[in-house]
């Protein structure tokens, strides 16, 4: 399993009310996939396709998002992966300009699954 945690900034906000574009979660999943492939095969590989993407809750500038992923199936060159993004910290502007809270229960904001490929000649690790 691999994990990345990032704070969404105003530069990530794409819509009114500082709402972050859902594509930003897919970008995080791509970074997680890259790490998983490097650790598994010694190569970044290529993301071929998502076969399922579910946006489950809004993400806003100031939210901290934790994205995780794991390889769930390995073929000759294909790697099937699942991903989940959770909001773990949110800003609390009603309590003050710099106020924030760590959520006792993270909020799942996105789930996805997809397939990456590492060509056989690029696989440096034997499993």
């Amino acid at each position: 399993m691999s994990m990345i945690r990032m704070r969404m900034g105003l530069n990530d906000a794409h819509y009114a009310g500082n709402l972050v574009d859902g594509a930003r979660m897919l970008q995080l999943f791509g970074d997680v996939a890259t790490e998983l492939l490097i650790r598994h095969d010694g190569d970044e590989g290529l993301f071929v396709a998502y076969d399922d993407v579910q946006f489950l809750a809004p993400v806003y500038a100031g939210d901290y998002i934790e994205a995780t992923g794991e390889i769930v199936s390995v073929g000759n060159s294909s790697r099937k992966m699942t991903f989940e993004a959770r909001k773990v910290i949110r800003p609390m502007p009603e309590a003050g300009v710099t106020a924030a809270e760590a959520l006792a229960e993270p909020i799942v904001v996105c789930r996805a699954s997809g397939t990456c490929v590492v060509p056989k000649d690029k696989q440096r690790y034997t499993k």
Side-chain angles (χ1 to χ4, degrees), residues 42-105:
D43 190 88
E44 292 184 2
L46 302 166
F47 212 119
V48 176
Y50 285 102
D51 52 58
D52 182 46
V53 176
Q54 300 172 30
F55 297 105
L56 303 168
V59 175
Y60 300 98
D63 289 343
Y64 280 77
I65 301 298
E66 180 180 279
T68 59
E70 64 179 320
I71 297 173
V72 295
S73 177
V74 176
N76 286 326
S77 61
S78 65
R79 311 302 182 237
K80 175 80 172 165
M81 300 180 187
T82 58
F83 306 95
E84 187 171 271
R86 294 175 293 279
K87 184 184 308 191
V88 295
I89 295 174
R90 72 173 186 93
M92 295 183 60
E94 66 278 5
V97 176
T98 58
E101 73 171 328
L103 300 173
E105 285 294 319

Side-chain angles (χ1 to χ4, degrees), residues 9-75:
L10 286 173
N11 59 314
D12 297 306
H14 188 72
Y15 300 105
N18 292 329
L19 185 63
V20 172
D21 191 340
R24 185 69 171 104
M25 298 306 103
L26 300 184
Q27 184 181 20
L28 292 176
F29 292 162
D31 289 342
V32 169
T34 298
E35 180 180 341
L36 286 167
L37 293 174
I38 290 168
R39 291 181 182 280
H40 188 272
D41 293 290
D43 190 88
E44 292 184 2
L46 302 166
F47 212 119
V48 176
Y50 285 102
D51 52 58
D52 182 46
V53 176
Q54 300 172 30
F55 297 105
L56 303 168
V59 175
Y60 300 98
D63 289 343
Y64 280 77
I65 301 298
E66 180 180 279
T68 59
E70 64 179 320
I71 297 173
V72 295
S73 177
V74 176

